[in-house]
Amino acid sequence: MQKNERVSFGSKLGAILAAAGSAVGLGNIWRFPFEAGNHGGAAFILIYLACVLILGMPIMIAEFTVGRHSKASTGKAFGILAPGTQWKLIGYLGVLAGLLILGYYSVVAGWTLEYILASLNNGFAGQGPEDFVASFQEFSQDPLRPIIWLLAFLFFTHYIVVKGVKDGIEKSSKIMMPVLFILIVVLAICSVTLPNAGKGLEFLLKPDFSKLNADVFLGAMGQAFFSLSLGMGCLSTYASYFGPDTKMGKTALSVGAIDTMVAILAGFIIFPAAFSVGIQPDAGPSLIFITLPNVFQQAFGGVPFLAALFSLMFYVLLALAALTSTISLHEVVTAFLHEKFGWKRNRAAILVTAFCVVTGVLSSLSLGAWDAKFFNLSFFDLLDFVTAKLMLPLGGLLVCLFVGWYLKKSVSRDELTNYGREKAPYFSVYMFILKYIAPIAIALIFINELGILS
Ligand code: TRP
């Protein structure tokens, strides 16, 4: 695409919602609760919030700067801003991370489709907590059913990316995001009023710092990158579609606030419900799929129609939130292949989808039929670990160094102030964090995890 032909989002709100659509997804509602659960609850959440603020916000603005200034997708942006240097490797690293995430992410996205079908059939009626655990296990370990849903989800993503419906992304986000938000608030209220919900609230709100260790820090940092869609050039690619009036600081803060609120609210849905019915908070990736049906049954069980309706709405919105995220991941990789090798978008997209079918099928099988272990992790967990906890923070670190140290300061200032038309009083704080605080913090968390500090 020629520079001057590049389409932009129709409005400033559209830009915010499209970026928020990428950010809000399974990361908030599925991954955040189970990571918080595995790492002891409130203390993890506090560190997570610190990571969002200190690392997430500045790095998001830095990615916006790279995207809007280069007006190119991440695979090309660094080559444009730093011709003849190796900085372009940041873009390649990001594209690879996106490709790897898309495979296992689509497996979980596929699970939401199974749960949509179950809600339609009113399949949760009359079941208790043990039944939900058993039926999730049976389903996720089945060699075939999750794979069919995975394929369905990938093809759906593929179709939208090939059609190139930027409009579609923007328009649908405008309706879906608010509806999802309202539903989550309603469910959180239902959940905190369940019997014995208090223990769950305590788990969420009362930090136990004795549980802190290197894994908690790495987990919180990885979750912040994953949830905000940072560290792989996803938001920088979206920023290349921002108009000249989009305020980048404000957009980053809005996206960060929406994303964090959804994650925290998801915590308020999951933990009170889990404690209420005696499900352990460290149940891992299955956590939301075994606790949520309980919320629906316990809160509306007296009126089966309402229970089915709420669970249907919830899983449909979750699937759509996942879809806006998979589109953003697929788009980055497809745009890269298209721009780098000059392949038609169609052909590039087919290759991306085919690759994800393979990694997705392997991830899905690794939860049941295929019991190979890599460093003690299933293939699914391996992909999650390598991307969220290694590649994304590394990508974020490199972006800090690129914008903080390599890129001319005037470029950052121009982008942040829309060439002097806006004020950016926080500019020097932002640059300071980008140059020193964020890279040192990321490096320390990595080093700490290796056990060198202890
Ligand atoms: N942030 C999305 C979520 O929370 C997932 C996602 C979309 C993502 N694009 C990304 C994660 C880029 C990391 C990088 O579900």
Side-chain angles (χ1 to χ4, degrees):
M1 202 180 287
Q2 292 296 309
K3 266 192 190 177
N4 48 4
E5 279 175 15
R6 206 166 178 87
V7 288
S8 19
F9 288 120
S11 66
K12 282 179 245 171
L13 181 65
I16 293 177
L17 288 178
S22 164
V24 174
L26 297 170
N28 309 60
I29 295 167
W30 162 74
R31 199 175 186 283
F32 174 78
F34 92 69
E35 281 286 295
N38 282 346
H39 292 123
F44 170 91
I45 295 175
L46 282 180
I47 299 172
Y48 172 75
L49 293 176
C51 288
V52 169
L53 212 64
I54 299 171
L55 305 176
M57 290 298 92
I59 293 178
M60 193 182 293
I61 298 177
E63 282 203 17
F64 284 169
T65 303
V66 170
R68 191 168 70 176
H69 201 71
S70 65
K71 295 198 170 46
S73 78
T74 191
K76 236 181 156 186
F78 294 92
I80 292 175
L81 299 179
T85 67
Q86 292 304 317
W87 287 106
K88 58 179 184 289
L89 293 176
I90 306 182
Y92 301 168
L93 177 77
V95 170
L96 182 63
L99 192 59
L100 295 178
I101 292 173
L102 189 55
Y104 78 89
Y105 193 93
S106 304
V107 173
V108 184
W111 295 347
T112 64
L113 301 181
E114 165 86 5
Y115 277 68
I116 291 178
L117 194 70
S119 320
L120 280 173
N121 292 332
N122 210 359
F124 303 133
Q127 297 199 16
E130 295 82 32
D131 304 320
F132 295 130
V133 175
S135 57
F136 177 80
Q137 270 171 359
E138 192 197 321
F139 162 67
S140 64
Q141 292 175 4
D142 188 290
L144 202 61
R145 251 171 46 221
I147 290 181
I148 293 173
W149 291 126
L150 155 76
L151 295 181
F153 207 91
L154 272 173
F155 288 135
F156 218 46
T157 305
H158 177 94
Y159 178 80
I160 298 182
V161 170
V162 169
K163 289 274 161 196
V165 278
K166 303 262 156 39
D167 274 358
I169 299 178
E170 186 177 344
K171 277 198 197 112
S172 54
S173 298
K174 266 187 199 164
I175 306 168
M176 267 161 40
M177 300 286 302
V179 179
L180 178 66
F181 198 77
I182 294 168
L183 199 66
I184 291 176
V185 173
V186 172
L187 289 176
I189 295 171
C190 291
S191 188
V192 297
T193 51
L194 290 176
N196 270 329
K199 282 208 206 97
L201 289 175
E202 197 173 300
F203 184 76
L204 266 172
L205 298 173
K206 205 165 146 205
D208 175 359
F209 291 109
S210 68
K211 295 223 179 83
L212 284 192
N213 59 28
D215 285 346
V216 177
F217 282 92
L218 186 70
M221 171 168 76
Q223 176 59 24
F225 279 99
F226 190 92
S227 188
L228 294 168
S229 298
L230 289 178
M232 63 144 285
C234 198
L235 292 187
S236 87
T237 300
Y238 270 30
S240 69
Y241 306 118
F242 283 0
D245 288 333
T246 298
K247 295 177 196 159
M248 303 208 302
K250 198 175 149 223
T251 305
L253 283 180
S254 311
V255 174
I258 295 172
D259 190 74
T260 305
M261 268 194 294
V262 173
I264 300 286
L265 281 169
F268 275 93
I269 301 177
I270 308 294
F271 293 115
F275 279 90
S276 171
V277 292
I279 288 171
Q280 290 302 317
D282 58 0
S286 61
L287 188 63
I288 68 158
F289 292 92
I290 56 184
T291 47
L292 268 170
N294 278 299
V295 181
F296 301 122
Q297 285 313 307
Q298 300 230 353
F300 312 102
V303 196
F305 169 73
L306 269 188
L309 183 70
F310 266 85
S311 78
L312 179 66
M313 285 200 307
F314 181 81
Y315 287 113
V316 167
L317 288 165
L318 187 58
L320 291 172
L323 187 64
T324 49
S325 300
T326 52
I327 291 169
S328 73
L329 289 160
H330 199 301
E331 170 67 31
V332 173
V333 188
T334 300
F336 169 74
L337 295 177
H338 168 67
E339 288 171 1
K340 175 87 187 161
F341 301 110
W343 298 342
K344 292 216 172 70
R345 269 185 67 91
N346 205 349
R347 180 161 164 219
I350 289 175
L351 214 79
V352 176
T353 304
F355 185 89
C356 293
V357 166
V358 175
T359 52
V361 167
L362 291 177
S363 307
S364 184
L365 290 176
S366 78
L367 298 175
W370 181 37
D371 59 5
K373 291 276 181 279
F374 306 85
F375 308 102
N376 229 353
L377 298 172
S378 66
F379 185 69
F380 180 101
D381 291 332
L382 179 75
L383 284 185
D384 183 73
F385 183 89
V386 169
T387 52
K389 295 186 181 168
L390 301 180
M391 295 176 86
L392 299 180
L394 182 63
L397 172 68
L398 294 173
V399 168
C400 286
L401 298 179
F402 180 75
V403 177
W405 294 93
Y406 178 85
L407 206 62
K408 273 207 230 108
K409 206 170 163 182
S410 60
V411 170
S412 288
R413 184 177 280 117
D414 287 346
E415 286 296 336
L416 236 73
T417 59
N418 289 346
Y419 289 84
R421 279 174 285 131
E422 307 290 338
K423 290 205 174 65
Y426 52 85
F427 184 71
S428 47
V429 179
Y430 159 74
M431 282 313 276
F432 186 75
I433 296 181
L434 221 51
K435 276 183 132 158
Y436 303 102
I437 312 264
I440 292 173
I442 298 173
L444 279 179
I445 292 176
F446 274 145
I447 294 170
N448 190 20
E449 176 69 17
L450 292 174
I452 297 169
L453 290 185
S454 49

